Amino acid sequence: QVQLVESGGASVQPGGSLRLSCAASGDGVNCMAWFRQAPGKEREGVAAIYTGSGVTFYANAVKGRFTISHDNANKTLHLQMNDLKPEDTATYYCAADRFDRQAILTVSTLSPSSYKYWGQGAQVTVSS
């Protein structure tokens, strides 16, 4: 069983920066991701990373502004968010799962349905 706990959510002004963290307990995952969900909208993928290789994936809306990283020693996932915009306001969720060699070829790393384990969410509000 894997448990995920997010931290770092806050209110920030447009153009500001924020760093989210997700502490993982348990073993057996090789891919971790960040998703977000704004009120009245579907949950959407933000960024994902294969923890072994470091290969990353980003949604177009955050490319060049957000950076996903994973601290293997501490089993902690991070999301550095720069140049934040009001449309980035959402609850951000950490997700994780293990994909075997065959699944890696076809899995959509930014699709919520690909992940088994989820954190409780952290609120990020971007407003002046």
Side-chain angles (χ1 to χ4, degrees), residues 1-110:
Q1 188 71 15
V2 175
Q3 292 186 328
L4 305 172
V5 179
E6 299 99 335
S7 61
S11 294
V12 63
Q13 292 186 341
S17 298
L18 206 57
R19 190 192 197 205
L20 299 181
S21 297
C22 172
S25 62
D27 295 308
V29 299
N30 63 358
C31 187
M32 298 185 74
W34 289 99
F35 290 81
R36 66 186 182 186
Q37 188 167 18
K41 294 188 176 181
E42 293 187 353
R43 191 169 298 190
E44 63 175 359
V46 174
I49 184 170
Y50 278 107
T51 57
S53 65
V55 172
T56 58
F57 307 84
Y58 291 95
N60 288 335
V62 306
K63 279 182 181 176
R65 301 189 298 123
F66 291 10
T67 302
I68 189 171
S69 62
H70 184 258
D71 180 344
N72 287 327
N74 295 305
K75 294 195 287 188
T76 301
L77 182 71
H78 299 289
L79 184 69
Q80 178 65 42
M81 304 184 290
N82 297 328
D83 190 23
L84 283 160
K85 304 175 180 181
E87 52 263 41
D88 294 319
T89 296
T91 300
Y92 284 70
Y93 297 91
C94 172
D97 210 324
R98 181 170 189 82
F99 304 127
D100 60 26
R101 287 187 178 184
Q102 187 171 2
I104 284 174
L105 299 176
T106 58
V107 70
S108 175
T109 55
L110 295 181

